[in-house]
Amino acid sequence: MMLRTFALLGCLAASSMVAYAAQPVNLQTQALTSSPRLNSQSVAVVDSQTGKLVYEKNPLQTQPIASITKLMTAMVLLDAGLSLDEPITITEDEVDRLKNTSSRLSVGSTLTRREMLLLALMSSENRASASLARTYPGGKAAFIAKMNQKARSIGMRNAVFHDATGLDMRNSATAMDLVRMVKAAYQYPLIRQFSTTHEYIAHPSATRVLHYKNSNPLVREGEWDIGLSKTGYIEEAGRCLVMETTMGSQRLIVVLLAANGSAARVNDAKSIKTWLEAHPNSWLSG
């Protein structure tokens, strides 16, 4: 599908996250030539400073978002101000009985809340993310309610959350909703740091050592300037990726949803970067 440039998303002040999130999407377009063919079914690329929507492909189509969910999980956790040094032990409650996914964090594994957050953001560790919701004041129900409240507060009008991991296919949003979520999450230094950490050695027990790597190959390879990253995958959502990154001389928020094939989302990101940098006069701001 031909990708198109968009006008400004209203008067978006770079210094105001809430004002940014509240703007309606402007669907006035100006076609660019030779747009890349992308595998992802829903795409939005936005200048993170001006709010200019640079590319789109079905940006208002609601999609399951899989582990992109964990950015909201991280924001709700950090908003609560809980001790990040408190140890958390994985229990049977964290075992995935919805999709029966596995985890290297076996029941009884203990890490600090900080480490659980790191593994959730960096490696998309589902049990780590679920443990953050379980140990929230009021438990999982209160945590999920706060996720949905937070979504509304930052302008994610079409987003809904049913769990803290993204394994629940009912967790859904549009690409434009996720632009707003990335914009909000970028305001948290720990989310920026943890989501772009290359690797981490965890010690969940006295005898176990686990080596985790970032789930985004573009982060691991170290050739891109990435300020925030999150991958996601369940069968219903396909391969998903959101990033805050540099293309050309601009900081951009990139949202790629519903790609099929393990490398498709990364290939799409590379195609967008190559195409943008080949047409700088078409989109670069001053």
Side-chain angles (χ1 to χ4, degrees), residues 194-220:
F194 286 177
S195 70
T196 58
T197 297
H198 289 208
E199 58 186 344
Y200 183 73
I201 304 295
H203 300 268
S205 72
T207 57
R208 295 196 70 202
V209 177
L210 300 177
H211 183 198
Y212 285 89
K213 294 183 179 181
N214 198 292
S215 59
N216 183 355
L218 295 174
V219 170
R220 296 197 306 269

Side-chain angles (χ1 to χ4, degrees), residues 49-70:
Q49 295 302 311
T50 68
K52 180 180 181 180
L53 184 54
V54 178
Y55 309 138
E56 65 84 21
K57 178 182 178 182
N58 302 319
L60 304 181
Q61 182 174 302
T62 301
Q63 303 270 10
I65 61 172
S67 286
I68 307 302
T69 294
K70 293 182 176 73

